[in-house]
């Protein structure tokens, strides 16, 4: 079964930095999109960074200029570098991968990590 393994969460003071990683090496078929989402208590899950195949990364205004997504297609890993963190960035962060379900089909499936807690103190 496909399993995404996340790491890097923790507690950091406002203005600090934190790097998250997610390993997707259990995925056997071509990866289309890699992304990061977050969900704070009482709020909807929010996309914070996406990178489509052959496309530039996209970010919402809330994190633009502070977060950077990167992907290693050889190691099948996705990273999220976070700088100038704010208390409102506190949430559970999830990695997401969209991948093909076979070598010949155009069908795809979404895979999710278990989530890692990021807490930014003031």
């Amino acid at each position: 079964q496909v399993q995404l393994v996340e790491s890097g969460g923790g507690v950091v003071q406002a203005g600090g930095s934190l790097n998250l990683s997610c390993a997707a090496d259990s995925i056997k078929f071509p990866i289309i999109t890699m992304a990061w989402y977050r969900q704070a208590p009482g709020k909807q899950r929010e996309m914070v960074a996406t990178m489509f195949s052959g496309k530039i990364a996209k970010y919402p205004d809330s994190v633009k200029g502070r977060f950077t997504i990167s992907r290693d297609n050889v190691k099948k890993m996705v990273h999220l570098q976070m700088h100038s963190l704010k208390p409102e960035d506190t949430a559970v962060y999830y990695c997401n991968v969209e991948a093909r379900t076979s070598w010949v089909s155009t069908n795809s499936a979404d895979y999710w990590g278990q989530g890692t807690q990021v807490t930014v103190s003031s």
Side-chain angles (χ1 to χ4, degrees):
Q1 185 177 4
V2 172
Q3 180 178 348
L4 304 183
V5 181
E6 296 171 295
S7 62
V11 180
V12 65
Q13 293 185 4
S17 300
L18 203 61
N19 297 324
L20 307 182
S21 297
C22 179
D25 56 351
S26 64
I27 295 177
K28 304 300 182 183
F29 304 112
I31 293 173
I32 302 169
T33 304
M34 306 185 85
W36 287 93
Y37 289 73
R38 69 184 181 188
Q39 187 166 23
K43 294 186 177 181
Q44 294 181 312
R45 185 168 295 188
E46 173 190 25
M47 183 191 299
V48 296
T50 64
M51 183 171 285
F52 300 95
S53 298
K55 301 290 186 179
I56 195 170
K58 295 181 179 294
Y59 309 90
D61 290 340
S62 59
V63 307
K64 187 175 296 184
R66 301 188 298 115
F67 289 12
T68 301
I69 186 173
S70 61
R71 56 189 286 181
D72 186 328
N73 292 327
V74 176
K75 296 181 178 180
K76 295 184 178 180
M77 296 190 71
V78 58
H79 306 274
L80 184 68
Q81 299 104 62
M82 304 182 291
H83 303 285
S84 301
L85 285 164
K86 305 174 181 179
E88 49 263 44
D89 294 320
T90 296
V92 177
Y93 284 71
Y94 302 88
C95 65
N96 173 76
V97 176
E98 181 188 9
R100 299 293 186 194
T101 55
S102 76
W103 290 106
V104 297
S105 175
T106 58
N107 293 333
S108 64
D110 283 325
Y111 304 94
W112 293 88
Q114 64 186 32
T116 184
Q117 177 71 46
V118 172
T119 301
V120 184
S121 64
S122 60

